[in-house]
Amino acid sequence: MTPQLRDAPFPFLLAPAVWASRNRARQRQRGDVTRSLLFGGIGLGVGAVLFAGSYWVTCQLAGFAELGDYLLRLGLSWLFLTFLSFLAFSGVVTSLSTFFLSEDLRLLMAAPIASRRLFHARMTRTVLQASWMVVIFLVPVLAGIGAAKCAGLRYYATGLLTIVPFVIVPVAVGAALTLLLVNVFPARRARDVLMLMGLLFAGALVMLLRFVQPERLLRVDSLPDVSAFFATLQSPVTPMLPSFWAGEALFAGLMGRVDGLHLAALWTSALGLIVLTRMAYGRWFFSGFSKAQEARKARFTKLHALETIVRTLPLGPARRHLLVKDLKVFLRDVSQWSQLLLLLALVVVYLYNFRVLDLDRVPYMSSVIKNVYGFLNLGMAGFVMATVAVRFVFPAVSSEGAAFWIIRTAPITLRDFLWSKFWTGLLPLLILAETLTIAGNRFLGVDAFLQIVTAIAVVFISFALVGLATGLGARYPRFAAENINQVAGSYGGVSFMISAVLYIAAMIGLLGYGASHYLWAQSRNRAMRDDELTALAIAFGAAALLSVAMFVLSMRSGVRALQDMDQTPV
């Protein structure tokens, strides 16, 4: 048995992952079909949009003869250049998990497996996990370009021969950089640092792209000189990067030619980097893997200031200690709290868009459009709350994991446990939503009455959405989830998002119907009639009743679901 395992080809080590996926598909759980149809439909829709967009752009460029071909050629290089840095960073983060932090590595390191076969198996898994999103995005885009140009089979064969080595090159570089990092820092600390740096970079990039105000390019008086414009476009495209080789090879295939030089450069670079990375891993992998077994330093368990602040809150001892526990667990996980930095950047960009939106240039209709945008702002704030709630509030119960038995055996009622999850998620979401709504409406110049209505409505929406997320999270927990991010995509998470979207649409409809009577009276410069006041009161009362009912019923359902558990799920 031992010689057979040692001499087995490296794809044999990938079989357990394939078997696990097959068994997971056979053992369907509740909501698998609904979730597959939902996400499959969304994926097909996004693919269709990408295909149609690239098809339309290519057709438009075809009308400019040689200039259109030049722009298409340059666009292909830019497309691959954009994904080059993404693949390199994704390769670093993914290789940290596959090579150093994977749960099955301890078994594989003790098994009689040749190191080179283990490396090739892990490298194959790293490439697949790091590049699948890029490949899914590239396929409809390149297919749309080929359809617009009526390209033959040679173009699609060239695309296959180009994408495979292109994704290998940056991922191999990322894996080599990971080997260097884990030999300098512990692997878990290196992953946290990289994740934090990546989110900071993403947030800074989002803010930079918005603050440069790209809409100014649509103004005739702000267009730069044509030659300077094209020089700026071509400046980042260098012949020394794999993105340039991939763009040139694909453009040649689009024109019906075969660019053997750039294809050879891609494949030799990919194979050469695999060989060099394998040699480096053979020399320094074991020392890096040994450092990866170091435990985290429990910095936040000594954060006495946190306990002092929580002690001032009007909470009972049980709920106060549960709140401290949840806060410490959240602060220990960099992958959790660091996402708030990206959320903060998106909030800044969101409010900045309203700040620079000049609706006063619209004659006669500016006040009407401002008020319409006020309700649109309320709807967007609601969707932001739903997105944050499904990511942070809904998995709150599932985040207890196998330690949930401690809660079951502790002198704490499950009602107090669930309510502590609710209050932990309510305050941040309420502050976020009120900031978006109040600041956005102030920037827009919405009517004062509507500003008050939307600010009060946010309070009701926050209680309803957080209660719904907490209740469904308790009704559909996944204590055995390997990654807490997987909980949001479960049947309960999908059910929450569907319910939240329907609820927000109903709230906007009720509030908009009630406010329309007020706005109509304002446009006629008269006081509201009794029937209009009655309709407004009924609409606003129905919205408040809907929110309270969803909040109360969701929390009761969650408490009842926890109390009905006979044993801890595994």
Side-chain angles (χ1 to χ4, degrees), residues 408-431:
R408 296 288 304 277
T409 56
I412 300 173
T413 64
L414 293 177
R415 179 185 179 85
D416 288 340
F417 166 73
L418 193 62
W419 276 98
S420 71
K421 300 293 185 181
F422 171 81
W423 292 114
T424 303
L426 176 66
L427 185 60
L429 260 69
L430 181 59
I431 295 175

Side-chain angles (χ1 to χ4, degrees), residues 332-382:
R332 287 173 188 168
D333 193 349
V334 178
S335 64
Q336 295 288 324
W337 62 261
S338 59
Q339 297 181 35
L340 299 179
L341 300 176
L342 181 58
L343 178 63
L344 178 62
L346 295 176
V347 168
V348 172
V349 173
Y350 178 86
L351 295 177
Y352 182 77
N353 287 333
F354 285 121
R355 178 68 179 82
V356 300
L357 189 62
D358 188 9
L359 296 178
D360 292 328
R361 294 185 302 174
V362 182
Y364 307 111
M365 295 291 291
S366 60
S367 60
V368 176
I369 295 178
K370 287 179 181 179
N371 294 326
V372 171
Y373 267 86
F375 281 99
L376 178 62
N377 182 32
L378 177 63
M380 293 299 297

